[in-house]
């Protein structure tokens, strides 16, 4: 038997474009590195409030920088990222609570579909995501009915609180459990450092085995 896979937890919110970038990179490496990737849907607004942080949209210069940064990073990481014109109003007004409760319900009822449904939530309006990910309409309706249940609400709250306990002040964060130590890495641009901690090889955001399929 080979070495036991190291556990990586990815805390993310579909409202965060940087979460999508980190999500895709880690999903590409999960079968290359000796890791066990655990996807942890979280609520970014709760983390912001707990840490005293603010969304970039509240600071005009950050908002302007983010638009260009996300566009360039999307090209580099090969993620089809196109921010809607009303992206920042969505952050401030609509938020992501329902979407993250939906993903929490998916993680509880159909964990094998969490990766696909999460991806579709970034790519489409979340009410269409389940069908695109291969989930039946009956399954989707069942999950939608559960997003307001105490069980789902409490699970999302617990996951968000866990991220806060690790020291999160935004998303994504990747938590690596290595040799009885816990390392919390913020953002989608710490993959080289993560590879170093894991003792693995970093081959860029699109490793050769994946690049051949894209």
């Amino acid at each position: 038997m080979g070495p036991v896979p190291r556990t990586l937890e990815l805390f993310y919110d579909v409202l965060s474009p940087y979460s999508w970038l980190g999500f895709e990179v880690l999903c590409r490496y999960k079968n290359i590195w000796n890791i066990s990737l655990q996807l942890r849907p979280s609520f970014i607004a709760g983390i912001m409030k707990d840490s005293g942080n603010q969304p970039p949209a509240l600071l005009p210069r950050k908002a302007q920088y983010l638009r260009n940064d996300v566009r360039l990073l999307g090209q580099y990481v090969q993620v089809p990222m196109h921010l809607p014109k009303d992206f920042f109003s969505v952050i401030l007004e609509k938020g992501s609570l329902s979407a993250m409760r939906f993903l929490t319900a998916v993680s509880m009822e159909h964990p094998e579909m969490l990766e696909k449904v999460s991806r579709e939530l970034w790519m489409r309006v979340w009410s269409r995501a389940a069908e695109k990910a291969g989930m039946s309409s009956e399954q989707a309706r069942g999950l939608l009915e559960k997003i307001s249940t105490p069980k789902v609400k409490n699970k999302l709250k617990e996951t968000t609180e866990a991220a806060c306990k690790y020291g999160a002040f935004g998303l994504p964060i990747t938590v690596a459990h290595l040799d009885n130590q816990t390392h919390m890495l913020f953002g989608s641009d710490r993959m080289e450092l993560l590879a170093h901690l894991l003792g693995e090889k970093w081959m860029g955001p699109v490793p050769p085995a994946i690049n051949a399929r894209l």
Side-chain angles (χ1 to χ4, degrees):
M1 295 179 61
V4 177
R6 278 70 56 84
T7 298
L8 293 185
E9 298 178 88
L10 175 67
F11 293 81
Y12 64 98
D13 187 314
V14 296
L15 205 59
S16 162
Y18 296 102
S19 285
W20 190 10
L21 296 168
F23 169 91
E24 293 295 355
V25 171
L26 287 178
C27 285
R28 292 167 184 172
Y29 274 90
K30 68 179 183 179
N31 294 321
I32 298 175
W33 290 348
N34 184 36
I35 60 174
S36 173
L37 179 61
Q38 299 179 3
L39 299 177
R40 304 290 300 274
S42 311
F43 184 42
I44 193 169
I47 291 172
M48 290 283 189
K49 181 179 180 180
D50 184 79
S51 66
N53 201 357
Q54 293 183 329
L58 296 179
L59 300 171
R61 290 186 183 179
K62 275 191 175 182
Q64 183 178 2
Y65 176 82
L66 186 148
R67 283 189 176 277
N68 190 55
D69 188 48
V70 166
R71 179 181 61 84
L72 294 174
L73 283 171
Q75 296 172 359
Y76 174 61
V77 182
Q78 296 186 33
V79 172
M81 187 171 291
H82 304 283
L83 294 185
K85 292 181 180 179
D86 61 346
F87 177 70
F88 295 114
S89 66
V90 170
I91 288 180
L92 295 175
E93 297 171 13
K94 185 176 180 181
S96 62
L97 183 57
S98 293
M100 300 318 295
R101 283 179 178 170
F102 182 75
L103 281 183
T104 298
V106 173
S107 71
M108 297 169 69
E109 302 291 331
H110 303 283
E112 75 284 356
M113 303 195 73
L114 182 57
E115 178 183 335
K116 288 184 178 181
V117 178
S118 297
R119 182 175 290 112
E120 288 298 334
L121 276 170
W122 271 298
M123 299 182 73
R124 305 170 186 276
V125 292
W126 73 272
S127 60
R128 295 174 53 193
E131 181 180 354
K132 281 290 182 177
M135 184 177 290
S136 70
S137 58
E138 290 79 10
Q139 288 175 318
R141 279 196 296 270
L143 292 173
L144 286 169
E145 291 172 357
K146 291 182 179 181
I147 66 173
S148 296
T149 63
K151 187 177 181 180
V152 169
K153 288 181 178 179
N154 290 337
K155 178 63 176 178
L156 178 59
K157 183 180 179 181
E158 290 170 5
T159 304
T160 302
E161 289 175 347
C164 290
K165 288 179 181 178
Y166 283 128
F169 50 88
L171 291 174
I173 66 166
T174 302
V175 179
H177 301 272
L178 308 170
D179 301 323
N180 298 317
Q181 290 186 316
T182 299
H183 303 272
M184 189 277 281
L185 305 178
F186 172 72
S188 59
D189 57 351
R190 295 293 184 269
M191 298 303 171
E192 288 182 78
L193 177 56
L194 177 59
H196 169 72
L197 291 172
L198 292 168
E200 298 281 2
K201 183 178 181 181
W202 170 247
M203 296 175 281
V206 188
I210 301 297
N211 195 35
R213 300 202 299 265
L214 294 178

